Amino acid sequence: MWWRSPSFILDKQQSDTVPHQRNPRDTLPLPSPPPFSMADTLQNPNPENNISAYYQTRAAHHAVVTGDWLAQAQAAIGRDPDDSTDTTVATVAGKPFSVIDEFNSWRKQPELAEAVAAIRALAAVIRNCQATTMMELEIELKKSSDSLKSGDTTSISLTAGCDLFMRYVTRTSALEYEDFDSAKSRLIERAEKFGEISCKARRIIAMLSQDFIFDGCTILVHGFSRVVFEVLKTAAQSKKLFRVFCTEGRPDRSGLRLSNELAKLDVPVKLLIDSAVAYTMDEVDMVFVGADGVVESGGIINMMGTFQIALVAHSMNKPVYVAAESYKFARLYPLDQKDMVPALCPIDFGVPIPSKVEVETSARDYTPPQYLTLLFTDLGVLTPSVVSDELIQLYL
Amino acid sequence: MSIQFYQLLLLLLLREALCVLLPCKPCWRTCLSQQTIPHTTSSGGDSEGKSKSADKSSRTRRLKHDIIEAVNELIQDITTCHEQIAEQAIEHIHQNEVILTLGSSKTVLEFLYAAKEKRRSFRVFVAEGAPRYQGHLLAKELVARGLQTTLITDSAVFAIISRVNMVIVGAHAVMANGGVIAPVGLNMVALAAQKHAVPFVVLAGSHKLCPLYPHNPEVLLNELRSPSELLDFGEFSDCLDFGSGTGSPLLHVVNPAFDYVPPKLVSLFITDTGGHNPSYMYRLIADYYSADDLVVRGRIASGN
């Protein structure tokens, strides 16, 4: 007979003695971080808690505006003009070009996906590169890509986007061109094209999923996914009649923001707390979620709570549809919930919690493929079993 | 009329049309011009004009020849699919088994007959398949070929299913996700089979593959047939006497021709290329349909 051993007591004791050793390893060799308060939370080295920068960004973009955030933003405004001139002066005056800075500046735009920001940053690397040979350029690109990836190990779309970009760009037969400059301009062209494809991906996905939304249907969505929002926006604009059940999406409460946006489009929205999903599932016709990453098994990694909703939907025979762009396909194969790089985010309960009480702060979970019905991607509509085929085609 | 008949008819007509188009060169030239431009860059000199037109007419003939060959291959595939599927019968039907089927399908008939030829002794339960009662025809044909057959009503399927070893049925169409559009009543049989853990085997030639994903198959991919198959017109008009206040009849008679069987209820697909899992069917689609044909591109062109 096998039962769980109370080894968590031992683990806790060990982790209490270890944290102070983690600091030196986590700090990044950044040239000079911009003096912007949001950036402090955006950059990963938060060594005490190992907070995920990716989820911090998402929370920053889509979460409810809290008093603290407002105060921070106010304080930042005073320093903002300096910051923007700093970065522009930096690129002009020959300050060492930092891909991380470029990436962060792109990432601040809420409409831009993480991977697309990385792609644009890498395209900027090619543009600003001082190399004179192709090998040097490739090495520089690889170095920037690695530093971007190591800056935030928890973001799957960032890693996948960087990898796909490297493959896409270095596959150019630049050997045809004899001079370096035309080869470089061709690379830049391909990089821009890749960025554009990634931007158009959302519209393609929205177009594909229109058929699946019929008049009078009820859709359940979880958290704020920009792709799912695009899908719903397109459906609303083509005058389809449907209503949306929106979960709150604790801890960043991004569902509230989504319900705001949907209300602006005159779509009937009903907000639910995360625990009310099973209660309302019989009224729901389909579940639509986004994904932070699509893994090789065909499952998805998404905001915490997705697995729960998929389980409930599956037990009540409701289809679960996932909307994800193709650059989120990653070469990962998690075997269970804990088999991923931990991504933590701080949870604010509103009341002080005694220090003896542990809090589960993981920001994401893994939904196995058997609970998903279809995936809508810019490569077409796929069943979960097709994902591994598509991955092979993308990466080889 | 089966889907096979319609497909064959279409392909034969297409082939005839292509042969008839022989004298009509200009239209072929325009469609070929995009192809020939990259090829004819190397030929130079005065004879270029003459060789180009000669090239184009030979390319015309070659293109037509290729298309006619491809159409012939497809016709061949459709006409021989029964034999290729029936060849696999002995791997699946063993001695002293009980097979259940519903309605009538030529593929199933050939499949069962092939197993009988190889000296397997088994029994067949045939559900009649109301309202067309094609199960009666199948039962007669099976008996004519010497198989022990039992005819049952559709409602008796659930009662009999626990005594059955395997359910073998044909399909009207197979969707990209592995779902099946099958004659009405088969969804019920599939559910009964799942409840009693009986393998549900679908026989389908690869020409029945469809690249679409069903989003509302019960309505959009269905055909509503005449209600007179269920209710005589005489009896129907009697019911019309009892209309509601607005004059619309209180009785509605619905006669769908097809059922959608979701992929999780299907155990195995036997096609002319072999046996496959429902989650594998999307791969066969890539063999028959080019990515350019698929709906995605068409929508993008019209949408943006």
Side-chain angles (χ1 to χ4, degrees):
Chain A
M1 285 285 278
W2 174 90
W3 69 93
R4 286 187 190 274
S5 67
S7 57
F8 51 81
I9 299 175
L10 263 178
D11 291 342
K12 187 155 190 321
Q13 286 174 352
Q14 275 183 358
S15 67
D16 283 339
T17 55
V18 163
H20 63 272
Q21 293 170 9
R22 271 193 274 150
N23 290 359
R25 272 191 281 131
D26 278 333
T27 47
L28 281 177
L30 294 173
S32 61
F36 184 57
S37 63
M38 287 283 278
D40 290 341
T41 52
L42 284 177
Q43 285 161 23
N44 196 30
N46 196 339
E48 301 91 59
N49 301 359
N50 197 20
I51 306 260
S52 159
Y54 173 64
Y55 287 97
Q56 290 285 68
T57 325
R58 287 198 70 88
H61 287 156
H62 307 304
V64 173
V65 174
T66 61
D68 300 336
W69 186 90
L70 261 181
Q72 275 184 347
Q74 296 271 359
I77 285 171
R79 284 177 281 169
D80 211 68
D82 302 332
D83 175 62
S84 56
T85 50
D86 230 20
T87 48
T88 48
V89 161
T91 49
V92 166
K95 177 185 157 192
F97 173 77
S98 161
V99 67
I100 309 269
D101 291 339
E102 181 77 22
F103 176 56
N104 281 335
S105 71
W106 278 111
R107 201 194 216 175
K108 282 176 209 155
Q109 294 180 31
E111 275 314 300
L112 215 56
E114 181 103 342
V116 182
I119 288 160
R120 294 252 168 100
L122 288 174
V125 164
I126 301 179
R127 226 178 283 125
N128 294 26
C129 169
Q130 311 292 340
T132 48
T133 63
M134 279 309 292
M135 277 307 287
E136 224 180 304
L137 178 61
E138 274 181 38
I139 290 172
E140 172 120 7
L141 205 54
K142 181 113 183 24
K143 240 183 354 185
S144 325
S145 160
D146 286 340
S147 68
L148 269 180
K149 282 196 276 189
S150 60
D152 185 0
T153 51
T154 61
S155 174
I156 295 173
S157 53
L158 175 60
T159 317
C162 286
D163 281 341
L164 286 169
F165 179 81
M166 292 297 296
R167 297 204 118 79
Y168 189 82
V169 159
T170 56
R171 230 190 283 175
T172 312
S173 49
L175 301 166
E176 294 171 7
Y177 299 96
E178 282 167 11
D179 61 334
F180 177 68
D181 288 319
S182 59
K184 187 169 161 186
S185 60
R186 182 137 165 78
L187 272 185
I188 293 176
E189 216 179 278
R190 282 183 76 90
E192 310 270 284
K193 189 155 159 244
F194 195 64
E196 260 175 52
I197 291 174
S198 316
C199 276
K200 274 207 220 117
R202 279 188 204 154
R203 260 177 287 156
I204 297 177
I205 293 172
M207 210 83 53
L208 280 173
S209 25
Q210 287 315 296
D211 270 336
F212 289 78
I213 300 178
F214 50 91
D215 277 334
C217 70
T218 304
I219 306 179
L220 177 72
V221 293
H222 181 57
F224 191 123
S225 160
R226 288 165 289 204
V227 191
V228 174
F229 180 59
E230 183 81 26
V231 170
L232 296 175
K233 194 162 81 163
T234 317
Q237 282 165 353
S238 40
K239 302 280 182 276
K240 289 209 173 153
L241 304 169
F242 60 97
R243 66 175 173 160
V244 177
F245 283 2
C246 192
T247 58
E248 189 191 3
R250 287 274 291 159
D252 47 341
R253 298 194 283 162
S254 41
L256 301 179
R257 180 71 159 260
L258 177 65
S259 59
N260 260 348
E261 303 288 327
L262 284 173
K264 282 186 212 160
L265 297 169
D266 283 331
V267 175
V269 185
K270 188 168 179 183
L271 260 180
L272 317 164
I273 52 170
D274 297 335
S275 345
V277 166
Y279 177 76
T280 50
M281 189 54 85
D282 56 346
E283 290 173 56
V284 165
D285 290 311
M286 65 185 86
V287 179
F288 250 104
V289 292
D292 289 333
V294 178
V295 296
E296 274 190 60
S297 58
I300 56 166
I301 297 183
N302 199 20
M303 180 170 151
M304 180 62 81
T306 312
F307 182 31
Q308 204 157 284
I309 293 179
L311 268 173
V312 174
H314 186 252
S315 71
M316 297 198 184
N317 271 329
K318 309 286 179 183
V320 177
Y321 298 129
V322 176
E325 301 99 313
S326 61
Y327 52 75
K328 289 184 176 159
F329 282 25
R331 305 215 65 175
L332 295 171
Y333 204 114
L335 298 172
D336 59 16
Q337 299 301 324
K338 310 289 189 292
D339 201 9
M340 307 176 276
V341 175
L344 308 174
C345 73
I347 302 183
D348 172 30
F349 285 106
V351 291
I353 307 282
S355 52
K356 275 191 295 197
V357 174
E358 247 187 273
V359 177
E360 176 62 61
T361 47
S362 177
R364 60 191 183 185
D365 60 21
Y366 163 63
T367 307
Q370 59 262 32
Y371 303 109
L372 305 175
T373 317
L374 285 178
L375 283 99
F376 299 118
T377 68
D378 47 315
L379 304 168
V381 179
L382 311 172
T383 50
S385 37
V386 181
V387 169
S388 54
D389 257 3
E390 292 295 331
L391 263 173
I392 293 173
Q393 282 173 22
L394 279 177
Y395 278 87
L396 288 179
Chain B
M1 290 299 179
S2 71
I3 188 177
Q4 206 167 325
F5 172 75
Y6 285 121
Q7 281 186 341
L8 265 173
L9 192 63
L10 195 65
L11 285 170
L12 287 166
L13 281 172
L14 184 65
R15 192 174 59 179
E16 293 311 307
L18 280 171
C19 296
V20 160
L21 276 174
L22 188 65
C24 181
K25 279 189 189 173
C27 68
W28 287 107
R29 200 175 292 161
T30 49
C31 83
L32 274 175
S33 57
Q34 285 92 337
Q35 277 187 27
T36 55
I37 285 168
H39 295 305
T40 56
T41 45
S42 50
S43 56
D46 293 335
S47 59
E48 190 178 273
K50 228 198 270 179
S51 65
K52 252 195 195 157
S53 62
D55 270 342
K56 276 185 184 158
S57 68
S58 72
R59 283 206 168 91
T60 309
R61 265 194 287 271
R62 207 178 311 159
L63 176 71
K64 204 172 307 179
H65 177 75
D66 287 341
I67 293 181
I68 291 180
E69 234 180 57
V71 170
N72 277 336
E73 257 179 51
L74 280 174
I75 293 177
Q76 189 73 4
D77 271 346
I78 294 177
T79 43
T80 58
C81 75
H82 292 314
E83 287 110 68
Q84 289 182 314
I85 292 176
E87 271 168 14
Q88 304 168 51
I90 45 161
E91 291 164 17
H92 299 281
I93 300 181
H94 303 289
Q95 198 72 341
N96 294 332
E97 288 215 322
V98 179
I99 313 274
L100 173 71
T101 186
L102 186 140
S104 166
S105 160
K106 182 155 189 279
T107 327
V108 173
L109 178 64
E110 296 294 325
F111 193 79
L112 295 175
Y113 192 52
K116 170 84 171 52
E117 289 282 280
K118 296 288 192 326
R119 306 278 182 273
R120 295 281 155 89
S121 77
F122 55 95
R123 302 179 49 195
V124 185
F125 277 78
V126 180
E128 59 185 3
R132 301 178 71 197
Y133 300 112
Q134 296 198 317
H136 298 178
L137 300 170
L138 180 68
K140 279 191 208 145
E141 296 204 22
L142 286 172
V143 166
R145 301 203 195 188
L147 278 166
Q148 168 85 40
T149 315
T150 310
L151 187 62
I152 57 172
T153 56
D154 296 345
S155 358
V157 163
F158 214 111
I160 299 288
I161 196 90
S162 50
R163 318 252 172 225
V164 165
N165 294 117
M166 188 169 11
V167 178
I168 302 183
V169 296
H172 177 75
V174 179
M175 312 304 292
N177 64 343
V180 182
I181 304 290
V184 68
L186 278 171
N187 195 14
M188 174 189 68
V189 177
L191 286 166
Q194 190 200 36
K195 180 97 171 50
H196 289 266
V198 174
F200 187 85
V201 174
V202 176
L203 309 180
S206 37
H207 61 274
K208 293 191 175 165
L209 269 169
C210 172
L212 300 177
Y213 282 87
H215 46 89
N216 197 1
E218 292 84 5
V219 171
L220 294 177
L221 299 173
N222 215 335
E223 203 185 291
L224 292 176
R225 304 175 68 92
S226 164
S228 63
E229 290 180 8
L230 295 184
L231 197 62
D232 285 336
F233 282 121
E235 291 168 6
F236 191 53
S237 60
D238 287 341
C239 296
L240 281 178
D241 294 340
F242 305 99
S244 67
T246 56
S248 59
L250 288 172
L251 178 69
H252 286 272
V253 181
V254 180
N255 185 10
F258 298 115
D259 245 343
Y260 172 66
V261 182
K264 63 176 198 271
L265 298 177
V266 179
S267 313
L268 184 69
F269 277 101
I270 299 182
T271 66
D272 40 358
T273 47
H276 302 297
N277 216 6
S279 57
Y280 188 74
M281 296 314 273
Y282 72 90
R283 289 270 250 157
L284 300 179
I285 288 168
D287 291 340
Y288 286 90
Y289 292 90
S290 148
D292 296 332
D293 296 331
L294 292 181
V295 187
V296 179
R297 304 295 168 94
R299 283 249 184 80
I300 302 304
S302 61
N304 290 3

